[in-house]
Amino acid sequence: MGFLDSSDVRRLLQDGDLKADIAKAVAEDPSAMDDLAEDIADELEDELEDDPDFKKQLIDAAMGNPQFKQKVVREIMDDIG
């Protein structure tokens, strides 16, 4: 229709109540929440991929898990054998 332009939209988004209503509606919609979770996970994955502190935390947590250690041993044995 062409009634709004980008400055109108920016002005609408300055309304805290409107943003809260939108956030609430998204949170109540399972499909929207699935999409949001996927988007957030994708962005976090990209950021964490190059984060050395996260890599250390991930490895430390994994190595503290006995089942994970067994998987590592099996992988090594598969490669050796």
Side-chain angles (χ1 to χ4, degrees):
M1 288 187 156
F3 290 119
L4 298 174
D5 62 26
S6 60
S7 64
D8 294 322
V9 173
R10 281 193 298 277
R11 192 171 54 252
L12 286 171
L13 289 175
Q14 292 175 0
D15 181 341
D17 290 337
L18 176 61
K19 289 196 304 188
D21 289 343
I22 293 168
K24 183 179 176 190
V26 169
E28 291 173 352
D29 181 324
S31 176
M33 289 302 287
D34 287 345
D35 291 345
L36 179 60
E38 184 178 339
D39 290 348
I40 290 172
D42 287 345
E43 292 297 322
L44 284 172
E45 181 181 4
D46 291 346
E47 290 296 317
L48 293 173
E49 197 170 274
D50 298 323
D51 184 329
D53 291 331
F54 175 72
K55 286 180 182 179
K56 182 184 180 323
Q57 288 176 341
L58 179 60
I59 291 168
D60 290 347
M63 294 308 290
N65 180 310
Q67 291 86 8
F68 180 79
K69 282 183 165 179
Q70 286 294 323
K71 288 180 183 185
V72 171
V73 169
R74 281 194 299 272
E75 289 293 326
I76 291 170
M77 294 308 296
D78 288 348
D79 289 346
I80 290 174

